Amino acid sequence: MFDPQYYPFASRRNLVYAHRGMVASSHPLATQAGLQILHEGGNAVDAALAMAAALPVVDPANNGVGGDCFAIVSFRGEALAGLNSSGFSPALLTRERVLAACPGAKEMPKRGWLPVTVPGAPAGWAALHERYATKSLQELFAPAIELCRGYALSPDNAPILNTCTDLFAHAQDPVLRRWAEGFNPEGRTFRAGDRFAWPDMGQTLRRLAESHCRDLYEGDLAARIDAYSRESGGLLRGEDLAAYAPRWVAPVHTSFRGCEVWELPPNGQGMTALLALNLLEALPLAGAGEVDKLHMMMEAMKLAFADALHYIADPAYMRVSPEDLLSKEYARARAACITDRARVYAPGEPLRGDTVYFCAADGEGNSISMIQSLYEGFGSGVLVPGTGICLQNRGACFSLAEGHANVVAPRKYPYHTIIPGFLTRDGKPLGPFGIMGGYMQPQAHMQVLVHLLDEGHNPQAALDAPRFCWTDGLRFDMEPSFPHAVVDALRRRGHEIRVLSGGQYGRGQMILRAGESWAGATEPRADGSVIGF
């Protein structure tokens, strides 16, 4: 029998062109759900919502009903609109409670009830639907509900189901063991091509469609979450769910190589990519050799993270404004820190004053950049019995350092990693882009945009290009497709490099205007697909 994960030869994907509409996601079945809605007369947001409901079914480790979502929407020539549908921490969650449960801890736990935050994704779906959609949620969720009856597991998904089953089945926390009992009661070893059905999730999606997603916040699903939390030692309560509402926000941007690059403002980390692009603009990137260019990009990314991890938090707790951080003058001052040697950087002083990405566009020129996540594989590992809802562990991104802007606190939004991106030129929409992957996301945004806008590659080539991933200190992972001589030269400059295949380098999609048509590209590192008509 052949190995569905063995690909010994280089392959190539071509750009996809279409003029009536286009959809792209990290799973072909979710992409088909979006295309179906476009064929039935839906707009770009309708198609995105169909994919948003289907992705938790076909890629359940990376996103779900119990997670969050963010979006940037270009609609009917209006100004770009941003949606932040990330959840806040429970009212009962305090730093003291965490330290009492985890004596001596230096960082938030990643599994169990403590890192659970309110699920924001369903409320975000409802907000997008109310503002832009043309079809009912019952129509938009129908493809996802049908998939719950059974679909074939992909080569990417089967291994992570096995990994999480083994991890949670042998965990000390009984709540995690109950995940294994509920999600995989027979202890199956999943293989690519196996049929997987999920009736509990199908019923949950029906409840959400019928209630315009309110059931999760004030109905039967909310009651089940509250009851299970109380029974098993959680802090999340029905009052937290009922108090939640998503937030419409104004995207922030910077200019780079003749385009405007748009991200969402904090609590998301999208500004990290903008900070890095500002630094690159202040450096002699154009015309630099491959080693010099990579070195500047790697140092710019570390500098950007030094500021982002220090300053970005719930906006109510931030000590500097996004405008201060994105100042071109500040970027020039920070860029002066970069030499020809690798360094570790401290935060500057600004001037005062596991995830899925998907996108859609339609024949009317509307488009949407959207991303949703549980954070790590199946999030917290807390599976609400009988619902298929696995709650996210986004609270793991809080700090435990007393006095830090991002320190854990009640009803607070944590530093958030998921970031949808959008491009315009002279204020006119070009289209959506995004790359999932935790802290890799702004790194991938920066690298893909350098290939696209600085080097002039097409969207597919920009996604295909090899990537690096900063981990911490001077340490980077780099894909094996980088030339050995380049890796050796970077090591001589002080970078500590591990050449690693299959690492966390992100998985992305992009749909951009190309004359009267749309040009779409999808990630070669995943099961992604882009389809147009």
Side-chain angles (χ1 to χ4, degrees), residues 442-504:
Q443 304 188 58
H445 280 209
M446 177 196 72
Q447 292 173 72
V448 166
L449 291 175
V450 166
H451 290 300
L452 182 77
L453 301 178
D454 183 71
E455 298 174 358
H457 293 308
N458 70 55
Q460 186 61 59
L463 287 173
D464 289 345
R467 296 180 194 147
F468 60 77
C469 175
W470 175 68
T471 56
D472 64 357
L474 300 174
R475 290 181 283 277
F476 283 87
D477 291 340
M478 297 186 74
E479 290 190 295
S481 44
F482 280 105
H484 294 302
V486 169
V487 174
D488 288 343
L490 290 169
R491 284 173 173 154
R492 288 194 296 274
R493 295 194 180 198
H495 299 285
E496 298 174 7
I497 294 174
R498 178 176 62 166
V499 177
L500 181 68
S501 61
Q504 181 58 283

Side-chain angles (χ1 to χ4, degrees), residues 83-353:
L83 178 70
N84 181 327
S85 202
S86 62
F88 47 61
S89 57
L92 295 175
L93 183 66
T94 64
R95 178 175 179 270
E96 292 70 30
R97 280 183 181 268
V98 175
L99 294 176
C102 309
K106 300 297 183 184
E107 58 185 30
M108 285 287 293
K110 294 186 176 181
R111 304 292 188 182
W113 275 110
L114 283 174
V116 169
T117 50
V118 171
W125 301 343
L128 287 165
H129 182 267
E130 181 177 0
R131 188 162 176 174
Y132 299 110
T134 64
K135 294 182 172 293
S136 70
L137 284 182
Q138 286 93 332
E139 293 174 287
L140 300 180
F141 287 10
I145 293 170
E146 178 63 25
L147 286 168
C148 289
R149 297 177 59 185
Y151 65 92
L153 288 173
S154 72
D156 262 12
N157 291 149
I160 195 169
L161 298 189
N162 293 328
T163 298
C164 289
T165 294
D166 184 65
L167 174 68
F168 294 147
H170 297 94
Q172 292 184 347
D173 188 341
V175 170
L176 301 185
R177 294 199 299 272
R178 288 178 71 174
W179 177 94
E181 295 164 4
F183 187 84
N184 188 5
E186 299 173 1
R188 292 172 58 187
T189 297
F190 297 102
R191 294 179 176 82
D194 283 356
R195 183 178 182 275
F196 179 76
W198 205 0
D200 285 349
M201 180 54 68
Q203 185 57 36
T204 288
L205 288 173
R206 287 188 188 92
R207 288 183 178 276
L208 293 175
E210 291 165 0
S211 68
H212 206 245
C213 295
R214 290 311 305 167
D215 199 75
L216 185 72
Y217 301 95
E218 55 191 20
D220 180 70
L221 291 173
R224 291 190 187 198
I225 293 171
D226 179 279
Y228 187 52
S229 179
R230 293 175 187 272
E231 169 208 328
S232 56
L235 301 177
L236 187 62
R237 297 290 183 265
E239 294 84 355
D240 298 312
L241 298 169
Y244 179 73
R247 297 166 289 162
W248 289 103
V249 297
V252 294
H253 76 282
T254 194
S255 58
F256 184 73
R257 300 297 189 260
C259 286
E260 301 86 41
V261 183
W262 297 83
E263 304 275 0
L264 292 187
N267 57 314
Q269 67 170 347
M271 285 200 340
T272 315
L274 304 184
L275 288 167
L277 291 172
N278 277 350
L279 290 164
L280 292 180
E281 192 175 58
L283 293 167
L285 193 69
E290 185 173 10
V291 173
D292 286 332
K293 177 174 284 191
L294 279 168
H295 172 75
M296 285 185 277
M297 291 168 66
M298 293 161 83
E299 293 300 285
M301 202 69 248
K302 288 189 293 183
L303 262 172
F305 265 120
D307 283 343
L309 293 173
H310 186 73
Y311 291 114
I312 291 177
D314 183 324
Y317 294 81
M318 284 184 60
R319 302 185 181 98
V320 298
S321 71
E323 292 76 18
D324 287 340
L325 284 169
L326 293 177
S327 158
K328 296 286 189 177
E329 184 177 351
Y330 177 60
R332 288 191 289 272
R334 291 290 273 164
C337 299
I338 296 176
T339 68
D340 62 354
R341 297 291 301 171
R343 295 179 55 192
V344 175
Y345 300 98
E349 289 290 336
L351 301 174
R352 298 292 178 178

Side-chain angles (χ1 to χ4, degrees), residues 4-22:
Q5 293 180 304
Y6 179 62
Y7 298 94
F9 309 114
S11 61
R12 190 187 78 181
R13 298 187 183 198
N14 288 337
L15 276 173
V16 173
Y17 284 88
H19 71 280
R20 292 181 59 190
M22 183 170 284

Side-chain angles (χ1 to χ4, degrees), residues 57-99:
V57 181
V58 297
D59 195 0
N62 288 318
N63 75 128
V65 171
D68 288 340
C69 75
F70 287 9
I72 299 176
V73 184
S74 172
F75 199 77
R76 294 179 179 172
E78 300 170 359
L80 293 181
L83 178 70
N84 181 327
S85 202
S86 62
F88 47 61
S89 57
L92 295 175
L93 183 66
T94 64
R95 178 175 179 270
E96 292 70 30
R97 280 183 181 268
V98 175
L99 294 176

